[in-house]
Amino acid sequence: MRKFFVLAIALAFASAAVAKPADTQSAPPLLKPTPTQAEAAIWATRFLTHFHYKPTPLDDAMSEQIYKRYLDALDGDKLFFTQADITKFDQWKDKLDDAIYDQDLSAPYAIFNIYEQRVGDRVAHARALLAKGFDFSKDESYDYDREKAAWPKDDAEANELWRKRIKNDWLRLKLAGKSDKDIRETLDKRYANYLDRVRQLNSEDVFQTFMNAYASSIEPHTNYLGPRASENFDISMRLSLEGIGAVLQRDDDYIAIREIVPGGPAALSGKLKVGDRVVGVGQGESGPMLDIIGWRIDDAVEKIRGPKDTTVRLEVLPADAGPDGSHFTVALVRKKVSIEEQAAKKSIIEVKDGATTRRIGVISLPTFYQDFDARRRGDKDYKSATRDVARLLAELKSDNVDGVLVDLRNNGGGSLAEATDLTGLFIGNGPVVQVRNASGQVEVEKAPEKKMVWDGPLAVLVNRGSASASEIFAAAIQDYGRGVIIGEPTFGKGTVQNLVDLDDVAHNEKPAFGEVKMTIAQFFRINGGSTQLRGVTPDISFPLTVDAKDFGESSYDNALPWTSIAAAKYTPTGELKAIVPMLEQRHAARVANNVAWRNFEADVADARALRAQKTISLNEKVRREQRDEQDAKRKARDAATKAAQEGTATATDAKPAGKAHAKADAATGGKATPPGADRAASAAAAAKAADGAPASALDEDDGDVPDLSGDDGLQPDERGVSKDLAREKEAKQRRDVILNEAAHILSDEIDLVRADVKLAQQVLPHVARPSLD
């Protein structure tokens, strides 16, 4: 699995729509740096070399690291450049530091312009091969994992690499039942789109990619954000924007509506629905209508967003209409829209244990968000994860739940203040995390709550995608003995970032320089340990869905090392060590009789085995046999799960009998970004679908349940909104298996405490609500 550092370029492959085949003959205009970018680079360098937690001089050694990461950002799979290109570029290997100091960024732009030319060369070759077809009876293979591969020595070797890549793309579609005609059309358009998306990149994209190569060379969570990326980050933290209240995604040639936000202008109009395609945007009541077919999605979004109470007109092609269908126009008045999809949510799972039914309240928290600007302005209603969770806890109390499960799966972090405050809802007042700055000074961050908002049974569900602020919360809950941690070892990010607005320090009236997200400190658990590299180890472990070497802090080659400091002074609120072995025993006995869980374990094992492969056969007979074997496994598992749900197999809620049952963000100061919150990480998942990986490893989120729903040979934007949503629904059902088992474990904890007075005396300090039977 490839590691993605900074990748405005890969984002172009992942998120732009194209209307027509690329012109591979005409030369694209050469991109050049601007004086503003050169000045921004100097401002960024001042902060990175002097105020970073790991201050590193910008010298020849750093230049070589920048050079390596810049090439990796442009062509990490070594598909476009040849060794001859690299030899030419090597003249700049140790001169990129001088390029920044001398405010002459022509070198990285020269590299990009050649990259763009090479993309045109490879695309022309690829499209020409489609007319010839392929012989799938030959015994040859394609090495799709090229992270450590050598650069192709010349164009002939690069063309051979692309021949195998294209053959693999063709074979995937063929195995999915596509005709040769459909395959040619799909792939011809796909490769043309590659080039068009690269040609849509502008000077700002290249600058951000280069500066990210510099920033991430210091440490993995240090990044540069251009003005547009900075705005999007702010939106992700405050969970609101001024617009129409619709989530957009690329759908082949179009910008399509993926979701309509309840209560927003789009929803209130009653005229738009999921799957509708926006083909034109006009400003005001009578402004000219711009055709946006083929636009980058971020360019389209920029036109649709706008100041509150202004009007935007959309020209729409209905979801059920063909390309030549009738359009309609809708005028919407922009309003402030809350992005509730990323806000905390609650649900209730009922767990049956014999004649007893326990109600487990679930709080799902995708990120530790806070509207920093609103809080600074003194807005008493500013958006906050802690405020939302406190409200949900009050509602769950009214619902008479027996325990609370906090779901932090794939929560990449957020605000340090929110992590601290939210922990206080469950521990009351006390130390939560220790923060050490570059000078070695350690401060203890304490929760402000005077008493627990929820003092009942608690569990926290995590996975490999739980990072930073999530790890602060989970570690504190574990150190206090406050709740059981369930799931996979977490990401392992133990560093603190701050966001420096370069326009503020330069006194610019308008955004021009962007922002630097810079590591300024390291955080430590209150017991003195660190989550850096090691993460938080669960009390009850679930199957590992991804290896640490492939995803997580330990996958970075320049991550800070693990270390420890003295423990803070704190008083545990409970002691769960005596319960954990009995919970593990019950969990093991229960999942042994749970068909859905056994299928989940089998899916994870299959996905890990496929990930370990680096080569795939291009022989149709071999691939068809492999595909049929996977399909048979999947169908058998689906049938077994369905039978279990219908009561014709062992019930999924079966309890073990006998004695076992009787006994048994990155946190940041000010502003934050989780691992993968920048443009680079958003490209990573989408790029997997185009890298020739095995079918069942596609469309799979790192640190989550693998998608083994079958390979259709398509990239996400080629499927359409309806198919994407259907696949997401299936993925949610698989994730629910994990959530339900975590709820059972929390129910077991409640059962054990209620059944055993001696255990209750140990655990009771944090289990106030259950009465002892």
Side-chain angles (χ1 to χ4, degrees), residues 713-733:
L714 298 174
Q715 296 184 1
D717 64 293
E718 295 170 343
R719 293 195 185 102
V721 173
S722 59
K723 289 184 179 179
D724 263 0
L725 292 175
R727 292 171 77 98
E728 282 194 5
K729 184 177 180 180
E730 291 179 9
K732 182 183 182 301
Q733 291 173 345

Side-chain angles (χ1 to χ4, degrees), residues 342-365:
Q342 289 298 306
K345 296 179 181 62
K346 67 162 184 156
S347 59
I348 295 176
I349 296 176
E350 292 191 346
V351 177
K352 293 182 179 180
D353 182 7
T356 302
T357 298
R358 294 193 182 88
R359 292 165 58 80
I360 303 299
V362 178
I363 292 181
S364 300
L365 186 65

Side-chain angles (χ1 to χ4, degrees), residues 92-164:
W92 296 309
K93 181 185 295 186
D94 59 356
K95 295 181 175 60
L96 296 179
D97 54 329
D98 301 322
I100 293 175
Y101 282 126
D102 295 342
Q103 299 191 45
D104 178 8
L105 301 179
S106 57
Y109 279 79
I111 292 173
F112 173 80
N113 288 325
I114 293 176
Y115 165 77
E116 188 172 18
Q117 180 182 335
R118 295 294 175 264
V119 172
D121 295 341
R122 306 298 173 241
V123 165
H125 175 69
R127 298 177 74 187
L129 285 179
L130 293 176
K132 302 176 182 178
F134 298 94
D135 179 2
F136 294 106
S137 65
K138 290 184 177 180
D139 289 325
E140 59 179 352
S141 60
Y142 172 52
D143 297 326
Y144 57 84
D145 187 338
R146 294 187 47 76
E147 181 181 357
K148 297 179 181 179
W151 297 98
K153 63 182 180 181
D154 51 27
D155 284 340
E157 189 171 305
N159 287 341
E160 173 62 9
L161 173 65
W162 272 83
R163 182 190 69 81
K164 290 186 175 182

Side-chain angles (χ1 to χ4, degrees), residues 118-394:
R118 295 294 175 264
V119 172
D121 295 341
R122 306 298 173 241
V123 165
H125 175 69
R127 298 177 74 187
L129 285 179
L130 293 176
K132 302 176 182 178
F134 298 94
D135 179 2
F136 294 106
S137 65
K138 290 184 177 180
D139 289 325
E140 59 179 352
S141 60
Y142 172 52
D143 297 326
Y144 57 84
D145 187 338
R146 294 187 47 76
E147 181 181 357
K148 297 179 181 179
W151 297 98
K153 63 182 180 181
D154 51 27
D155 284 340
E157 189 171 305
N159 287 341
E160 173 62 9
L161 173 65
W162 272 83
R163 182 190 69 81
K164 290 186 175 182
R165 178 185 176 88
I166 298 160
K167 186 174 182 179
N168 181 55
D169 286 348
W170 186 302
L171 183 53
R172 287 177 58 199
L173 290 166
K174 183 178 179 69
L175 294 173
K178 299 287 186 181
S179 68
D180 286 352
K181 178 177 180 296
D182 287 342
I183 292 172
R184 282 193 175 91
E185 291 177 354
T186 298
L187 294 182
D188 187 65
K189 189 171 189 177
R190 180 183 299 176
Y191 304 144
N193 285 353
Y194 284 173
L195 180 57
D196 274 351
R197 290 173 212 151
V198 170
R199 289 187 174 179
Q200 287 179 343
L201 293 172
N202 55 38
S203 179
E204 181 182 337
D205 296 319
V206 178
F207 179 67
Q208 178 162 310
T209 302
F210 173 68
M211 288 303 295
N212 258 317
Y214 170 24
S216 63
S217 292
I218 301 172
E219 184 268 341
H221 305 291
T222 297
N223 299 104
Y224 170 78
L225 305 177
R228 179 180 286 179
S230 175
E231 178 188 4
N232 289 334
F233 170 77
D234 288 342
I235 289 171
S236 72
M237 288 304 296
R238 66 176 182 260
L239 295 193
S240 67
L241 54 82
E242 293 178 353
I244 66 170
V247 178
L248 305 179
Q249 78 167 54
R250 190 172 57 125
D251 184 356
D252 201 7
D253 292 345
Y254 302 98
I255 305 296
I257 296 176
R258 177 184 179 82
E259 177 188 341
I260 296 177
V261 179
L268 295 176
S269 75
K271 296 180 179 179
L272 297 171
K273 62 181 182 296
V274 171
D276 283 351
R277 291 152 288 179
V278 180
V279 297
V281 180
Q283 305 300 325
E285 297 290 347
S286 57
M289 189 70 71
L290 296 176
D291 186 334
I292 66 167
I293 298 177
W295 279 30
R296 287 167 43 151
I297 194 166
D298 50 353
D299 287 338
V301 167
E302 187 174 45
K303 293 296 182 183
I304 296 172
R305 287 180 192 163
K308 186 175 65 171
D309 297 329
T310 60
T311 298
V312 62
R313 301 186 336 277
L314 305 181
E315 184 179 349
V316 180
L317 177 63
D320 52 1
D324 298 323
S326 298
H327 298 184
F328 69 88
T329 301
V330 56
L332 302 171
V333 178
R334 300 176 176 105
K335 298 293 181 183
K336 181 177 179 180
V337 179
S338 295
I339 310 174
E340 294 302 322
E341 182 63 25
Q342 289 298 306
K345 296 179 181 62
K346 67 162 184 156
S347 59
I348 295 176
I349 296 176
E350 292 191 346
V351 177
K352 293 182 179 180
D353 182 7
T356 302
T357 298
R358 294 193 182 88
R359 292 165 58 80
I360 303 299
V362 178
I363 292 181
S364 300
L365 186 65
T367 183
F368 286 81
Y369 50 87
Q370 184 188 112
D371 190 339
F372 300 106
D373 291 336
R375 183 175 184 176
R376 279 194 292 266
R377 292 195 308 266
D379 185 344
K380 63 180 181 179
D381 295 322
Y382 70 88
K383 191 72 172 174
S384 155
T386 302
R387 289 181 166 198
D388 287 348
V389 170
R391 172 179 52 81
L392 296 177
L393 287 172

Side-chain angles (χ1 to χ4, degrees), residues 409 701 704-705 728 731-739:
R409 287 175 297 171
D701 292 328
D704 207 344
V705 183
E728 282 194 5
K732 182 183 182 301
Q733 291 173 345
R734 290 191 297 275
R735 288 193 295 270
D736 285 347
V737 173
I738 298 173
L739 187 64

